[in-house]
Amino acid sequence: SHRHHVLHDQEVDRRTCVPMNHLWEQQAPYTVCNSSLSEYGVLGFELGFAMASPNALVCWEAQFGDFHNTAQCIIDQFISSGQTKWVRHNGIVLLLPHGMEGMGPEHSSARPERFLQMSNDDSDAYPVSSFFEVSQLYECNWIVVNCSTPANYFHVLRRQILLPFRKPLIVLTPKSLLRHPEAKSSFDEMVSGTTFQRVIPESGLAAQAPHEVKRVIFCTGKVYYDLVKERKNQDLEKQVAITRLEQISPFPFDLLKEELDKYPAADLVWCQEEHKNSGYYDYVRPRFRTIVNRTRPIWYVGREPAAAAATGNKNTHLVSLRRFLDTAFNLEAFDGKT
């Protein structure tokens, strides 16, 4: 957690230590800065800093993802369209804590649907290219990810600075995963030879007998851990596969086609914790339909549409969570529907 990256001496005033600056010799300097709650001003400054220093990894973190609202004009006018309008590459990283954690409408949603709506990839065009992954990154206006493991978060930041070009990176980072007992990675997943995973496929019992799988649930972010827990509770680990999208935009058509082909007889479900008119569903649905040439439906499971980003009532939050988890694992839910 970034707020623990500067250690303060309790006895000597203003004496501090930044452990990240003592990892190895000749490392790049690491700086942590607290800023005023003027998202418009600070994000504009960081954008300029990233423009002037393209070899620096410049990360701006909102206290909660919702707070980027007051910097919306910086995002709309300069970050989203900067390359198209002014032919200027920029590698700024926006860290936006996002997740339905029962903390109310102002501390829950970074509004991922806004970033996805402004993404320039075509939902109806299935790309064919041997250099698909890198060409996608080069042609997109920005990258939107929701990493569910520490290793993948590490790798997406590492990829950001190692790319031979610069693109803005939007990272939706649930705060609860900082302390979730299942959201952990081995150092073996971060050594040489390992890379960022755009999609993390099912690797459990369901993947061993894919033709027997009755449902494939696609999701992104921390809802994965709720789904895995519920699947185990209902003893459906052989019948339901769960696949994570770690990079939402540009959309990983190639890897998802492999997953869809792997489970030819299964229902396809998109599950999100956000409300139906928010989150990712409107973005991912037409792209899934393009992959299967509109021959299989992709069903929605999540919260119902709402004007507010989240409820302010903890019990209502838990009831709605229980409701959509029940639907996700009700294997009769979509029988006979078209």
Side-chain angles (χ1 to χ4, degrees):
S1 183
H2 309 316
R3 62 196 64 185
H4 299 147
H5 281 195
V6 179
L7 305 179
H8 293 259
D9 194 311
Q10 296 297 301
E11 298 181 355
V12 180
D13 189 35
R14 297 187 180 182
R15 184 183 181 186
T16 62
C17 175
V18 181
M20 291 281 283
N21 273 321
H22 303 280
L23 298 177
W24 60 84
E25 293 183 2
Q26 298 180 335
Q27 70 172 73
Y30 177 79
T31 304
V32 184
C33 298
N34 291 328
S35 60
S36 64
L37 282 178
S38 170
E39 287 80 10
Y40 168 69
V42 176
L43 183 56
F45 172 83
E46 299 293 358
L47 179 69
F49 193 100
M51 188 81 72
S53 305
N55 293 321
L57 181 65
V58 180
C59 302
W60 174 75
E61 183 180 44
Q63 185 176 6
F64 287 91
D66 316 66
F67 292 12
H68 83 264
N69 279 332
T70 54
Q72 196 69 47
C73 55
I74 297 292
I75 295 167
D76 292 353
Q77 301 267 20
F78 301 104
I79 299 180
S80 170
S81 56
Q83 181 177 339
T84 300
K85 287 199 286 188
W86 297 296
V87 200
R88 290 291 184 271
H89 284 224
N90 195 294
I92 191 169
V93 180
L94 271 59
L95 302 178
L96 305 177
H98 166 79
M100 313 296 275
E101 298 169 328
M103 300 183 69
E106 312 310 332
H107 290 165
S108 293
S109 180
R111 294 290 190 183
E113 64 276 5
R114 294 181 182 174
F115 295 99
L116 295 174
Q117 185 183 38
M118 290 189 285
S119 295
N120 66 353
D121 65 329
D122 189 345
S123 63
D124 298 320
Y126 184 82
V128 179
S129 169
S130 56
F131 302 103
F132 171 67
E133 181 179 358
V134 71
S135 64
Q136 250 199 337
L137 292 174
Y138 183 76
E139 292 168 6
C140 72
N141 61 317
W142 57 21
I143 305 163
V144 182
V145 302
N146 191 339
C147 299
S148 61
T149 69
N152 232 21
Y153 178 51
F154 160 78
H155 278 301
V156 80
L157 292 181
R158 182 174 181 271
R159 183 185 73 172
Q160 182 72 1
I161 203 66
L162 288 177
L163 283 173
F165 46 83
R166 294 289 170 257
K167 296 286 177 175
L169 174 65
I170 315 301
V171 184
L172 305 164
T173 49
K175 287 190 174 183
S176 62
L177 292 193
L178 289 169
R179 53 189 178 275
H180 196 292
E182 300 302 319
K184 57 187 177 183
S185 299
S186 164
F187 280 113
D188 292 339
E189 299 173 73
M190 292 177 264
V191 297
S192 296
T194 59
T195 59
F196 175 67
Q197 293 179 271
R198 292 175 292 148
V199 171
I200 302 180
E202 172 64 50
S203 59
L205 294 175
Q208 297 172 19
H211 287 272
E212 298 178 16
V213 171
K214 295 183 178 179
R215 176 166 297 171
V216 184
I217 299 176
F218 297 92
C219 64
T220 188
K222 75 177 186 65
V223 73
Y224 167 77
Y225 295 99
D226 295 320
L227 290 168
V228 167
K229 182 179 179 181
E230 184 64 22
R231 179 177 64 175
K232 184 176 182 180
N233 290 341
Q234 295 197 26
D235 194 23
L236 292 172
E237 291 171 296
K238 291 184 179 180
Q239 296 172 282
V240 179
I242 304 175
T243 295
R244 284 171 276 178
L245 273 71
E246 301 284 290
Q247 177 178 294
I248 303 102
S249 181
F251 195 69
F253 284 95
D254 53 336
L255 299 180
L256 288 175
K257 187 177 189 313
E258 293 177 11
E259 284 296 287
L260 293 168
D261 291 345
K262 186 177 181 179
Y263 304 100
D267 288 336
L268 307 179
V269 168
W270 174 261
C271 183
Q272 65 179 34
E273 57 184 359
E274 296 84 1
H275 294 284
K276 191 174 184 179
N277 59 322
S278 306
Y280 315 90
Y281 180 61
D282 286 340
Y283 177 85
V284 302
R285 182 177 180 271
R287 289 162 175 81
F288 272 109
R289 297 279 281 160
T290 294
I291 294 174
V292 298
N293 198 24
R294 295 166 179 80
T295 57
R296 299 165 72 183
I298 176 82
W299 301 108
Y300 169 80
V301 172
R303 290 181 166 89
E304 297 177 353
T311 177
N313 182 283
K314 183 73 172 183
N315 185 62
T316 302
H317 166 78
L318 294 175
V319 167
S320 61
L321 172 63
R322 178 74 265 157
R323 184 182 295 123
F324 80 71
L325 287 177
D326 287 342
T327 303
F329 292 99
N330 177 2
L331 298 184
E332 311 299 325
F334 305 114
D335 281 0
K337 294 184 178 180
T338 58

